[in-house]
Every structure is written in structure tokens, then in C-alpha cells.
Amino acid sequence: MHAVVCIKQVPDTTEVRIDPKTGTLDRRGVPNIVNPEDLHALEAALEFRDRFGGRVTVLTMGPNFAASALRECLALGADEGVLLTDRRFAAADTFATTYALWSAIQKIEKERGPVDVVLTGRYALDGDTGQVGPGLARRLRVPLLSYVTAIEEVDFEAKRIVVQRHIEGAVVTLESRLPAVLTCSADLNQVRYASLPALLAAQQAQVTAWSVDDVGADPEQCGLKGSPTIVSKSFVPEPRTDTCRLFEGEPAEAAASLVDFLIAEHRIPGFEPVGAKEA
Amino acid sequence: MPKNVNIDEWRGIWVYAEQRRGQVSPVTWELIGAARRLADAIDTYVAAVLIGDGVGRYADEAVACGADRVFVAEHPELAEFRTEVYGRLVVQLVLERKPEIFLLPATTQGRDLASTVATDLACGLTADTTQLEMDVQKRMLLATRPTFGGQQLATITSANWRPQMATVRPKVMPRPEPDPSRHGEVIRLEVGDVAADAPTRVLKVVEESNESRILDEADVIVAAGRGIGSKANLYLVEELAEALGGEVAGSRPICDAGWLPKARQVGQTGITVRPKLYVAVGISGAVQHVVGMMQSGTIVAINSDPHAPIFQVAHVGIVGDLFKVVPALTQAVRQRGRRAVLETVGG
Ligand SMILES: Cc1cc2nc3c(=O)[nH]c(=O)nc-3n(C[C@H](O)[C@H](O)[C@H](O)COP(=O)(O)OP(=O)(O)OC[C@H]3O[C@@H](n4cnc5c(N)ncnc54)[C@H](O)[C@@H]3O)c2cc1C
Ligand SMILES: Cc1cc2nc3c(=O)[nH]c(=O)nc-3n(C[C@H](O)[C@H](O)[C@H](O)COP(=O)(O)OP(=O)(O)OC[C@H]3O[C@@H](n4cnc5c(N)ncnc54)[C@H](O)[C@@H]3O)c2cc1C
């Protein structure tokens, strides 16, 4: 069994604040974390290895310091961390991101043997498109199993997997051929903890770093150059300019005049102003 | 990136008409409405792509909502959505007919299909948009989406590629008023042996209770926030919701605490709603909550803190103690509600 887990290092958006003066995101002092759902993808891969043996490779595209995210995964038990890093990969949209990840997976397959399953998180906290897993599946020409909340059966010999997917209003049980790409939701499993010795050891661990040339990627298809979308503007939503109409007075009085206003202005569906006639 | 598309060959705005278990999702009509608006700006046609088993009966409704053409692909093997099977059909159709813009819903199905198709077509895809505008001169779609947990908006373009693709969140575009007198063309597609060598098979579909969709259709929502204090106090919002003929929802802390089911959480990690009336009771108005309800028709805020950010999005409000204000509201509604009903019945 060989699983490749794609992880992304993200700023912890719960810590990002908007600078009231400049209206831009203030990321100072914001910690970088492994995208939370990616840890569930890693956990699924580690559970596969616990049962079937084999190997778990974690892969990320990002700046040099994303190596620390890979080390966190090594501390949890991954066998190898691969960092795709090169200035030419920078500012990739999801199309160029999946191209880079695909290129790296080609090389991993060539050098480390066939990959049976690729796992990603459902969404990343920052970009939050949820497009990388599906796009990667298509690049790899393997089936996509997204929004996975349970793995019912898996047989790497017979190349078959049965998963549950949670979609709007239903749980779908889907059978698929392997290899496949799974995008994992936090409901899939409980993430294990790294032991302190493992954490310490992982701080020294080597990660494999590859450039555009190392993975044999076409620089024209990488990063900003390879991205069909561009962020043409980014801004903090403007506060509304029209002000909220406040109703004042004693609670009973304020409430009554508010309700009168809502009815008079037809703001409550099904309620007509007193005296109004049906058309 | 090397790509030569002759932009002038691509015309028309398409919408993927999502169906789930044989029923078209309401977001489809919202997307057709949005497509109509964009198409009118650049003087082109709107088409809906309807794929499934026995879904052709929705073609008229698509036309009434603003479509000029409806592509219908029907086959028993298409009953359940499967990414690879649907993707192949859609890619083929796009390559044949060359639409300049293609909108899909930002649902589990729409997102998967959109990224699959965009990857095959090597075109850009803007995710989870909440606003769509048109640069008429350049026939360029300006698609705006929230990022960084909803704290920032970004406008994304893909000027040199066709089609320009975007997924659109449900409930952010108004649902058009259907016009049954509109005319359109229904084009049935040859589907052939559509699922041959499909890599996946749907074994089972278990529908969840309607609970998970109740807020989707609600015209009135009364939402409770942490100001409500305890689960025992929820009856206050329940009574108001009942008097207004609406549903109860909550902010994340309320649902995290288990006071209300997760399916009733409004916001970024909850549900996006678009009722005609939204009453926020004891909710501060954090961005992650606001992104889920800001499209509501009328927003009413009840909060004891006059500086609570909810008053920046609310249209009307009362600064006061919810334990006094909410029962007074319920009483006022009940009094006037009776009268309203009598009036209507009496003609
Ligand atoms: C403001 C803004 C808006 C953007 N909007 C769009 C847009 O609409 N369309 C678009 O195509 N791009 C967009 N991008 C670019 C997008 O954020 C990047 O392409 C990003 O590298 C991947 O997208 P994501 O964070 O949305 O990942 P998602 O698709 O949400 O991530 C899903 C999973 O994919 C894996 N993954 C994602 N990135 C990596 C990585 N670098 N290395 C390894 N695994 C990874 C992880 O397992 C992750 O859990 C935008 C960027 C910004 C700054
Ligand atoms: C990644 C992420 C995703 C999130 N997703 C969501 C989401 O989907 N939905 C969501 O709601 N939140 C979400 N949040 C949480 C969000 O940031 C806020 O923490 C949350 O919305 C606050 O809920 P609240 O307004 O109920 O509580 P609080 O912020 O605690 O506000 C309580 C309000 O009640 C008022 N109050 C107190 N007592 C009274 C009284 N007696 N009478 C009247 N008013 C009173 C107070 O003045 C205050 O304004 C998310 C956060 C993150 C980081």
C-alpha cells in the first residue's frame, strides 16, 4: 500500500484580523498550521498502513518554511515528506497547483513505486476553494471520491474501495476502483497525537525538496504563469452605508412600533397591513 | 500559459442545472436568473444543462426562469450524479458548443463537476462566488468570492480563457419570478452507452431527514445567539418564530453547545440562508455569521450592546435586553397577526 497525502500549510485564519486602518489582513504573529482537514487525510493513510503495511508519503507545495508542516506529519508517522518548492511555483491557482502536485506524484511513482491512493482535505482554511482534490483526480485520470466521511471497505489487492460520502441531504455509499483520490472531511476519523519524542525527532528529520526542474514540470504551466485565473482585486467588505433604523422606548413600546413598521412595509411574509384589501 | 482560444468563437452563458435524486435543486433557478442578467448585458443567450433520468420535465421551468435553450441528457445510468460520467458528457458538450461563461452551483456536486470539467478544458475556475458582474467591453466575468474565512473578498477573472467558469453559492442570487410565456428550445442529447467503463458505482443513497434542509426554504428565520444564555431560554425565540410563521436557527456557539442541531447553524461553516425576514436575537454579528445571512430581505437585530456589529448589517433593530424585548415582539406579532389573518379572510 502506498498512500500520498497532500497537505497545505495555512495561516490559522481564526487568528487573522483585519487592520482597521488599512483594511487589509493583518497576518502578523499568525501561526502557520497544517490545514486541519489534511490531518484527517493523513490519519486515514496511517490507518491504511497500520492495517496493510506499506508507505505513506506526504506532499506539499509551498515556501521553504512549509517543511515544518511536513515534519509535523512525520512526527505523526508519515514515512517521507516531499516539499515542492521553487519561486516558479508561487502564486499558483488551483489549476497550476494540481499541475505541480501531479508532476510530483509522477516522480514519486517512478522512484518509489506505484501509488494506490491519494488523499487530500476537503478544503483549505485560507484559499478555501475545495478544487485541488477534484482537479488532481482528473489530472491523474483516476476516480474522485470527495466529501468522504467513512471508509467502509478497502482492498488494495483487488483495487477496490467503498466509501460513504456526505452530500446535501443524503449519505451516498460509493464503490470505486483504486487508485483514486479521496478528499477527507473531519468526520472521517480522530486524528492521533504525536508523542513528544517523535516530535523532537521530527524536528531534525530531512524532507525531500524538489524544484520545477526536479519534477520535470513545464515552467510555463507552473505558478502565476500557469494560472488561468487571477485575483484582480481583493478587499475587505465595506460596511453598509445606510444605517440601521432603531426603535426606542420601553421594550413593549419599541417592540410594538417595530412590528407595526414591519407589517406596514410588507416585511413579514403573509402579514398584510391592517385595512389592506386583497387584490 | 500557452493557450490559444479564439475568444470570439465562444458565445452564450450556461448554467449547470443540478438535480438530486430526480429533483432539480432550487439553486438552479437562481443561477439561471443570474445568467439571464449577465447575458442581457452582453446580448447573448442562456442555456441550461440538465442531466439525469427523467429530468426533461424541468425544461419548461428552466425556460420560464430565463433560459433560451435547454440541453437535456436522460438515461437510467445518469440517475445518480457521478463525477466522471457527468464530467465526460459536459466536457464534450462544451467543446462542441463553446459557451463563453459556465456557472455551476457551489454544492458538493457542482464543485466536483466544475473542477473536473475545468481541468479537462484547461480553463480557469472561480470558487464559491457570491457576486457576478460583467465587464461588457471585454466580455469578462468579474466573479467575487469570500476568502480567509469570509474576512476578505476577492474578485477573480480569467480573461483569456474560455469558458470562464465559476461556482456560485446557493441562496446568494435572487430566485427569478418564472414567466410561463417565455419561449425556448429544448435540445435532447444523444447519450449512448454513457456509463461504459465508469470507475464508480453508487451502492446506496440514504436520505437524511428534512431537518437538514428546513432553513433552505424558510421565509422567516429567528436566530438565537449566545446572548440567549441557556438552552432553557430558547423558548423565547421559538415562540417568536412560531408567531411569525418561521423557523429557529442559531449562531455557531449555540449549535456547538448542542442547544440546536448543526443543521440550524447559520454562517460560513453552517448554512447560507436568504429568508425574507431574519431576526437576530443576542447575536453579535461576527463576519462568519454575517456571510451566512446578509442576503436576507429584512434583517432585524435585538441586542443589548448598541455597538454590536450586527447593527451594521441590520435594517432595523432594538437596543435592549432580549429577555424583555423578545416576549414583547411575540405579543405584538400575535395581536397583529390575528388581525392580518382576519383582514385577508374577510377580503
Ligand atoms: C484571495 C484568493 C482567492 C483565490 N480564489 C481562487 C479561485 O477562485 N480559483 C482558483 O483556482 N484559485 C484561487 N485562488 C488560488 C488558490 O488559493 C490556490 O491555488 C491554492 O494553492 C489552492 O487552493 P485552496 O487553498 O483553495 O485549496 P483547496 O482546494 O481548498 O484544498 C483542498 C486540499 O487540497 C490540498 N492542497 C491544496 N493546496 C495544496 C498545496 N499547495 N500543496 C499540497 N496540497 C494542497 C490539501 O489537501 C487541501 O486540504 C485564490 C487565492 C487567493 C489568495
Ligand atoms: C473558521 C470559523 C468559522 C465560523 N463559522 C461560524 C458560523 O458558521 N456561524 C456562526 O454563527 N459563527 C461562526 N463562527 C464563530 C464566529 O466567529 C462568532 O464567534 C460567533 O458567530 C459568535 O456567536 P454569537 O454572536 O452568538 O455570540 P457572541 O459573539 O458571544 O455574541 C453574543 C451577543 O449577545 C448580546 N447579548 C448578551 N446578552 C444579551 C441580552 N440579555 N439581551 C440582548 N443581547 C444580549 C451581546 O451583546 C453579544 O453581542 C466561526 C468562526 C470561525 C473562526
Side-chain angles (χ1 to χ4, degrees):
Chain A
M1 193 288 308
H2 185 186
V4 171
V5 185
C6 298
I7 64 140
K8 186 180 185 188
Q9 191 180 48
V10 295
D12 187 348
T13 55
T14 56
E15 302 282 327
V16 177
R17 290 283 164 268
I18 288 163
D19 182 329
K21 280 201 212 86
T22 60
T24 54
L25 291 183
D26 185 359
R27 296 217 229 165
R28 273 171 305 174
V30 173
N32 284 313
I33 56 173
V34 177
N35 182 50
E37 287 189 336
D38 303 359
L39 292 174
H40 294 273
L42 174 61
E43 177 64 33
L46 293 172
E47 285 171 14
F48 287 153
R49 195 191 56 191
D50 292 345
R51 278 173 65 192
F52 302 101
R55 164 178 193 90
V56 173
T57 306
V58 274
L59 167 64
T60 193
M61 177 182 80
N64 263 315
F65 56 77
S68 64
L70 292 174
R71 289 201 186 92
E72 192 179 319
C73 298
L74 293 174
L76 286 164
D79 298 288
E80 184 180 11
V82 175
L83 173 64
L84 273 179
T85 193
D86 190 313
R87 278 211 309 274
R88 291 171 292 174
F89 284 130
D93 73 354
T94 58
F95 186 78
T97 299
T98 59
Y99 174 70
L101 296 175
W102 171 83
S103 307
I105 292 171
Q106 302 300 299
K107 185 176 166 83
I108 289 171
E109 288 222 290
K110 211 183 291 159
E111 296 181 358
R112 274 77 164 164
V115 172
D116 299 293
V117 62
V118 174
L119 302 108
T120 75
R122 225 172 18 155
Y123 295 104
L125 268 188
D126 56 347
D128 187 21
T129 64
Q131 288 175 187
V132 170
L136 187 56
R138 193 59 202 141
R139 295 253 189 205
L140 291 165
R141 294 288 186 266
V142 301
L144 167 69
L145 311 176
S146 59
Y147 304 92
V148 172
T149 49
I151 295 166
E152 283 193 354
E153 293 169 42
V154 58
D155 185 338
F156 289 104
E157 296 280 297
K159 299 192 182 301
R160 176 176 172 272
I161 188 167
V162 178
V163 300
Q164 280 183 12
R165 315 174 53 229
H166 218 111
I167 61 167
E168 297 84 357
V171 178
V172 174
T173 308
L174 192 71
E175 179 189 56
S176 170
R177 286 207 290 263
L178 284 172
V181 170
L182 270 61
T183 84
C184 304
S185 103
D187 299 331
L188 178 57
N189 50 36
Q190 288 280 335
V191 172
R192 65 191 65 189
Y193 289 100
S195 69
L196 193 58
L199 274 171
L200 292 174
Q203 276 178 13
Q204 314 300 324
Q206 285 295 314
V207 303
T208 308
W210 286 341
S211 67
V212 167
D213 305 319
D214 291 331
V215 294
D218 170 6
E220 293 298 308
Q221 295 191 55
C222 293
L224 192 59
K225 272 191 185 169
S227 296
T229 66
I230 55 163
V231 179
S232 70
K233 186 170 81 166
S234 101
F235 54 104
V236 171
E238 288 202 10
R240 280 207 353 220
T241 45
D242 53 330
T243 48
C244 176
R245 174 163 172 188
L246 292 179
F247 289 81
E248 286 163 6
E250 285 303 303
E253 190 191 328
S257 41
L258 172 62
V259 170
D260 282 340
F261 169 82
L262 293 176
I263 293 176
E265 296 254 313
H266 305 273
R267 308 284 185 119
I268 314 179
F271 281 61
E272 286 301 316
V274 177
K277 290 270 187 297
E278 285 265 287
Chain B
M1 198 177 103
K3 175 152 178 185
N4 296 316
V5 290
N6 179 357
I7 286 175
D8 295 330
E9 285 178 2
W10 299 69
R11 283 295 181 263
I13 304 189
W14 285 17
V15 166
Y16 172 65
E18 172 182 288
Q19 62 93 12
R20 297 181 206 142
R21 282 143 274 146
Q23 290 198 312
V24 168
S25 320
V27 60
T28 298
W29 317 127
E30 298 162 18
L31 292 194
I32 293 177
R36 184 73 261 160
R37 186 171 57 82
L38 298 171
D40 289 343
I42 54 169
D43 195 18
T44 189
Y45 76 96
V46 171
V49 182
L50 195 48
I51 303 176
D53 186 24
V55 290
R57 62 195 160 97
Y58 285 102
D60 290 344
E61 197 166 346
V63 171
C65 286
D68 304 300
R69 294 176 204 172
V70 185
F71 298 107
V72 180
E74 288 181 304
H75 194 284
E77 283 284 354
L78 295 171
E80 292 293 337
F81 173 78
R82 278 178 295 170
T83 312
E84 291 76 21
V85 177
Y86 277 44
R88 199 156 50 192
L89 271 175
V90 170
V91 167
Q92 197 187 337
L93 192 62
V94 168
L95 289 174
E96 271 167 32
R97 310 247 177 180
K98 299 193 167 49
E100 60 200 297
I101 292 175
F102 191 8
L103 307 177
L104 298 93
T107 54
T108 56
Q109 190 183 119
R111 288 193 186 106
D112 285 1
L113 185 64
S115 345
T116 302
V117 167
T119 302
D120 262 8
L121 296 169
C123 65
L125 171 58
T126 307
D128 274 66
T129 54
T130 53
Q131 292 167 40
L132 297 172
E133 299 297 330
M134 200 76 216
D135 178 331
V136 175
Q137 292 289 298
K138 298 185 185 138
R139 297 179 87 89
M140 181 168 76
L141 182 66
L142 307 170
T144 300
R145 60 174 304 241
T147 48
F148 283 99
Q151 303 192 58
Q152 194 176 25
L153 294 174
T155 302
I156 315 273
T157 57
S158 181
N160 303 323
W161 281 263
R162 291 295 181 272
Q164 306 173 76
M165 289 182 62
T167 60
V168 184
R169 287 213 182 148
K171 293 272 167 185
V172 300
M173 304 287 163
R175 188 176 176 153
E177 208 46 67
D179 171 3
S181 69
R182 286 194 84 255
H183 290 288
E185 187 189 357
V186 177
I187 301 152
R188 299 203 166 259
L189 304 175
E190 277 300 320
V191 281
D193 193 3
V194 67
D197 65 278
T200 58
R201 195 156 62 97
V202 176
L203 301 183
K204 196 163 71 178
V205 180
V206 179
E207 295 206 28
E208 289 173 323
S209 66
N210 279 336
E211 175 71 7
S212 59
R213 269 165 287 156
I214 259 169
L215 294 185
D216 282 358
E217 300 298 328
D219 274 341
V220 178
I221 292 174
V222 182
R226 190 141 48 186
I228 199 84
S230 75
K231 183 174 179 169
N233 295 333
L234 276 179
Y235 78 93
L236 288 168
V237 288
E238 282 161 2
E239 284 182 358
L240 179 57
E242 201 201 319
L244 289 167
E247 293 292 336
V248 173
S251 66
R252 176 151 130 180
I254 299 302
C255 299
D256 277 354
W259 299 352
L260 284 174
K262 185 84 184 159
R264 291 192 183 248
Q265 179 187 319
V266 169
Q268 183 201 328
T269 42
I271 289 169
T272 303
V273 296
R274 197 197 174 99
K276 298 202 173 76
L277 182 67
Y278 188 90
V279 187
V281 176
I283 292 178
S284 59
V287 277
Q288 295 91 352
H289 184 82
V290 168
V291 292
M293 48 69 92
M294 63 186 175
Q295 303 289 334
S296 307
T298 300
I299 298 169
V300 181
I302 312 298
N303 197 305
S304 51
D305 173 7
H307 303 294
I310 191 73
F311 287 115
Q312 282 164 22
V313 286
H315 302 95
V316 289
I318 295 176
V319 177
D321 181 0
L322 71 90
F323 294 98
K324 301 206 178 87
V325 174
V326 176
L329 281 172
T330 306
Q331 200 196 358
V333 172
R334 280 188 183 146
Q335 284 168 355
R336 283 144 180 87
R338 265 203 305 276
R339 263 186 287 171
V341 171
L342 283 178
E343 279 296 320
T344 342
V345 173

